[in-house]
Amino acid sequence: MRFLDDAFPLLVVMNEARFDEGEMRAMADGMEEYFRRNVRFAVLSASPGEFVRMGARERKILSDWVNGPRVSDLSRRLCVGTAAVVPSAAARGALTAFLWFWTPPYPLRAAPTVEAGLDFCLERLTVCNVPLPRPAETLRSEIIGHLRSTGRFAPSFGDP
C-alpha cells in the first residue's frame, strides 16, 4: 500500500492486488499520519485491475477498524469523502448494496474509473471549502498522469 500525498488534502491510496492483514496494518498505520495532521481531506482509493476481492475475514478486519470509536470519530471529523475505484459493475453493485445496511462515517462512492473517483473527491473538497494546493484540474491531471505511469492501474481508467 502506498500513500501519495503530493496533492494533500487529496490523498491517493494505491492498494495492492490482495487486501490482507498486512495491507490492513499498512493502511491503519498510514492513516495515522493524516489523522495527526487534523486537517480535513478526501481519499481516492485505487487498486490495480487484477484486484482480488476481500474475503469475509478481511472485510471483518476492515470493518472493525473503520467502526472503532477512535477511527470512526476521526474519520467523521476529517474525511470529507472517499472514492473507491471499483471497475467491475458487479462489484460496484455489491458495494452499493452493502451501503444500504452500513453507513460509513464519511461519504463513500464506488467509482467505475479513476477519473470519476477524482471528480467525486475534488467535488467533496470544494463543497466542504477545503483549500487545494493547486487548481482542481491541475491536481486531476497530475494524479491521472502519475497513476498511468505506474502501468498497474490502466484497467481502472475510462476512455481518454
Side-chain angles (χ1 to χ4, degrees):
M1 178 165 297
R2 290 184 39 209
F3 291 83
L4 305 175
D5 65 0
D6 295 344
F8 192 83
L10 176 53
L11 178 62
V12 178
V13 179
M14 293 172 41
N15 306 302
E16 293 302 321
R18 180 175 296 281
F19 193 87
D20 57 17
E21 286 185 63
E23 279 289 287
M24 181 62 230
R25 266 192 307 281
M27 184 185 71
D29 292 346
M31 287 306 298
E32 284 302 317
E33 174 185 340
Y34 305 103
F35 290 151
R36 279 192 300 273
R37 289 184 187 188
N38 201 34
V39 173
R40 293 184 308 159
F41 59 88
V43 177
L44 173 68
S45 176
S47 301
E50 70 276 6
F51 184 77
V52 177
R53 279 190 269 166
M54 285 187 270
R57 184 168 192 258
E58 292 85 6
R59 285 191 304 273
K60 172 81 168 112
I61 292 168
L62 179 60
S63 174
D64 288 349
W65 180 76
V66 170
N67 291 320
R70 179 179 165 278
V71 170
S72 182
D73 177 61
L74 287 167
S75 296
R76 185 181 288 79
R77 288 189 298 112
L78 299 176
C79 185
V80 300
T82 294
V85 178
V86 183
S88 160
R92 277 193 316 279
L95 179 55
T96 299
F98 179 69
L99 293 174
W100 294 337
F101 303 100
W102 175 70
T103 303
Y106 43 78
L108 173 62
R109 168 90 37 99
T113 64
V114 168
E115 292 91 346
L118 276 170
D119 291 344
F120 174 76
C121 289
L122 291 166
E123 175 186 313
R124 292 295 306 152
L125 289 163
T126 300
V127 166
C128 294
N129 298 312
V130 178
L132 299 174
R134 294 178 291 290
E137 275 307 308
T138 301
L139 294 175
R140 188 177 192 276
S141 178
E142 289 172 358
I143 291 166
I144 289 170
H146 179 80
L147 291 176
R148 282 196 172 140
S149 75
T150 68
R152 296 176 56 221
F153 292 85
S156 57
F157 288 91
D159 295 329

